[in-house]
Every structure is written in structure tokens, then in C-alpha cells.
Amino acid sequence: MWICVMKCSPLHRMQSIGLVRLSSHRHASEYVPSCPSADPNDVQKLQAFILRSQRLFVMTGAGISTESGIPDYRSEGVGLYARTERRPIQHAEFVRSHAARKRYWARNFVGWPQFSSHKPNPAHLALANWENTGKLHWLVTQNVDALHAKAGQRRMNELHGCTHRVTCLGCHTVIKRSELQEKFIALNPSWNEQAYGVAPDGDVFLTDEQVSYFRVPSCEKCGGILKPQVTFFGDTVNRELVYSLYERLGESDAVLIVGSSLQVYSGYRFALKAQEKNIPVAILNIGATRADHLPTVKVNARCGDVLPKIMAVDQEQQEIGG
């Protein structure tokens, strides 16, 4: 896939980039690993698990967003690690290296119009509906794509932050990522480069030579370093947030893990905490997970195929009961 940044006026350029991004979305199935149809017996077990719960705690991972066309890192055959030698930027490298920040932001600048235009899929919408009906007590997502918020989810936390926000490492001022895009355009009026492919978290593929003339703004308030308000690899999740999520989990009567292999400890810890508190766990994910020894129920299937069906059964049960 080619992504072209065009030479034109800043406003027209922004509009043109957006049009290119929207027209260049790849079919979502290209980022979803192949899997057989869900076992009907397993789906029924998951339905029963959900219906028994009155205060459900849900944790989601990248596997819920691949069906919206956002690639992940670890999916077999289609994840970033399987497709390329590229690896995500490390927190320490971003902080210490101006060249690394320039490379990161140039790639992010090109990828942003497409990444920010992704829409929630049926799985996101199903979980938002569960919140509206009172079934879902709390949701924590490992994703930084804002798709749960776009779906209307409110009782939630973004464990690793969100790429739609940017923070200053000096004075901690937070601005919208869309505002930063305008600053990039103003600073780089004649920068035109082409990129191949797309990676998770709004990134694309550019060479060091391509980004050498890209200019990155500093914080307007203090001149500090601007960084996405996300937890990069090698950084740690806010401890107070983790403890508050432990409280939400402790208030729940069941845990559902959706679209996560739980290979990263920041997510796996919630499965372990559920086990410690004797709270039953169910997993909906394509492929193996780090917590496959824990769940009461495990369904190997697409999130968007299964969750809306469970919602329909839940509503039917409520109508019968009413």
C-alpha cells in the first residue's frame, strides 16, 4: 500500500491526506488471523457465563481492533512481528534521542489521518451496549486507538493511554493529537514523502533518509518534549491506575478477556488478580493466551462474531424475564 503526502497548501494538504487515508484502508480480514468458526458448545458456555454475571469486568486487547482494520503486533501470520523486522519504539529511546523522536513523529504524521479514521466494529458496540444495560461493570482496554470511546463506552480506563492525546514531558500539558497534526503541517509545508505499509498505533514505514528533514514542534508552554499520551514499550503503567482497576475488578463477579494473548504482564496481571480473588474468568481470543490455564470458558473465535450474539441472547433473556 502506498501513502502519499502531497505538496499543496496546509489546509488542502490536510484534506488531501485524509482522503488518501480513507481510500487506502485495507480489508480488515488482512489483519485478523485465520481461525475456524466458533464451536457452538463453547459459545453457549460463554453465553451462560455472561448471563450469570451481574457485574462483569472486561479487559480487551488488540484482537478486538484488528476487525476494524488496525494491525496488531503478535497475531500469527498477520501481526507486525510476523510481517516485518520492525519493532515498536522503546520509551528510553524516545526520551533520549532527538533523531528517534523525529523518526517516530514523521511516521506517525503520515499514518495519523488513516489511523484516526478507524471505526468501532460490532464487538466494540456490543460491549458499549452491555454497559448501557447495566451488565458491564467496568472495562479496561490495552488498546490506544480510542475505538471503545468512539463506541460510547464510558465506564472504562485506557490502561496504556490513547494516541488521540499528546502530553509534554516537561510541564505535562495535554493537547489533542489533531491539534499537533496542524502544527506538523505548518512546520513542514514542503515535506513530501511516500510510505509503504501500516503498523499498529498509527505508524507507517519510512526510511531515515525520508525523515531527515522533518521538523517536530516543542511544547508551546515550556519548550519540552511532546509525546503521545501512551505507555511505550519499556515504560511502566501508572501504579495508581492499576490499583484503582484492582478495586473495580474486586467489585465484579466475573472477568471476560477479549482479544488479548496476555503476553504483556500489564494485562496478564488482571487475570492473576481474578484468580487470587476467586473470580471466574472467561477468554474470547483467536489462538493461545498466557492465561489458558485459568478460564472457566475459552472460545477461539473472532470477537465481532461472538459478542453481538451473546448480547442478543442477553436481551432475549431479559425480555422473557420481564
Side-chain angles (χ1 to χ4, degrees), residues 204-280:
V204 298
F205 303 146
L206 294 169
T207 66
D208 288 344
E209 183 179 358
Q210 286 176 298
V211 307
S212 60
Y213 298 105
F214 188 76
R215 298 179 62 192
V216 178
S218 300
C219 174
E220 291 186 349
K221 289 189 175 181
C222 74
I225 295 171
L226 295 178
K227 174 185 174 292
Q229 197 177 45
V230 301
T231 303
F232 282 158
F233 283 77
D235 196 6
T236 57
V237 176
N238 181 280
R239 188 175 298 274
E240 291 182 3
L241 172 59
V242 172
Y243 288 151
S244 70
L245 288 170
Y246 282 164
E247 291 181 6
R248 300 291 84 76
L249 190 151
E251 297 163 355
S252 305
D253 59 10
V255 172
L256 173 64
I257 296 165
V258 179
S260 177
S261 64
L262 300 175
Q263 292 304 311
V264 178
Y265 181 75
S266 62
Y268 180 53
R269 73 176 89 196
F270 294 101
L272 295 178
K273 181 61 68 172
Q275 180 187 42
E276 176 187 315
K277 294 179 175 293
N278 293 317
I279 300 173

Side-chain angles (χ1 to χ4, degrees), residues 38-39 42-43 45-46 283-287 297-301 306:
D39 185 314
D42 289 341
V43 174
K45 291 177 182 178
L46 184 59
I283 297 177
L284 169 60
N285 186 64
I286 298 175
V297 182
K298 169 75 183 294
V299 179
N300 183 58
V306 174

Side-chain angles (χ1 to χ4, degrees), residues 48-59 127 130-131 133-140 153 155 244-257 274 277-282 314 318:
F49 180 94
I50 300 301
L51 291 175
R52 286 194 298 269
S53 174
Q54 299 299 314
R55 297 173 66 82
L56 183 66
F57 183 97
V58 176
M59 186 177 70
L127 292 173
W130 288 6
E131 178 182 313
T133 62
K135 171 66 66 176
L136 190 149
H137 175 56
W138 206 261
L139 182 145
V140 56
Q153 203 85 47
R155 296 179 62 83
S244 70
L245 288 170
Y246 282 164
E247 291 181 6
R248 300 291 84 76
L249 190 151
E251 297 163 355
S252 305
D253 59 10
V255 172
L256 173 64
I257 296 165
K277 294 179 175 293
N278 293 317
I279 300 173
V281 174
D314 192 3
Q318 290 182 17

Side-chain angles (χ1 to χ4, degrees), residues 45-178:
K45 291 177 182 178
L46 184 59
Q47 288 174 339
F49 180 94
I50 300 301
L51 291 175
R52 286 194 298 269
S53 174
Q54 299 299 314
R55 297 173 66 82
L56 183 66
F57 183 97
V58 176
M59 186 177 70
T60 67
I64 196 174
S65 293
T66 54
E67 294 175 52
S68 289
I70 299 178
D72 67 358
Y73 290 110
R74 295 179 174 81
S75 286
E76 183 176 353
V78 295
L80 179 72
Y81 295 163
R83 292 184 288 113
T84 78
E85 296 298 320
R86 285 277 305 281
R87 294 297 180 264
I89 191 168
Q90 297 287 315
H91 175 80
E93 181 186 14
F94 184 93
V95 172
R96 72 168 178 260
S97 170
H98 174 73
R101 292 194 295 275
K102 184 162 66 169
R103 182 170 61 249
Y104 173 87
W105 279 123
R107 293 170 173 173
N108 189 272
F109 165 72
V110 177
W112 175 252
Q114 177 176 333
F115 185 80
S116 60
S117 69
H118 286 292
K119 307 293 185 185
N121 64 55
H124 296 100
L125 298 174
L127 292 173
N129 286 335
W130 288 6
E131 178 182 313
N132 292 337
T133 62
K135 171 66 66 176
L136 190 149
H137 175 56
W138 206 261
L139 182 145
V140 56
T141 183
Q142 300 173 82
N143 302 334
V144 297
D145 51 35
L147 292 186
H148 283 296
K150 289 182 180 181
Q153 203 85 47
R154 294 294 177 265
R155 296 179 62 83
M156 63 167 285
N157 287 105
E158 295 160 324
L159 185 64
H160 297 146
C162 181
T163 56
H164 288 247
R165 300 185 297 271
V166 176
T167 186
C168 171
L169 297 182
C171 65
H172 307 294
T173 296
V174 177
I175 64 172
K176 294 180 180 179
R177 175 62 183 81
S178 56

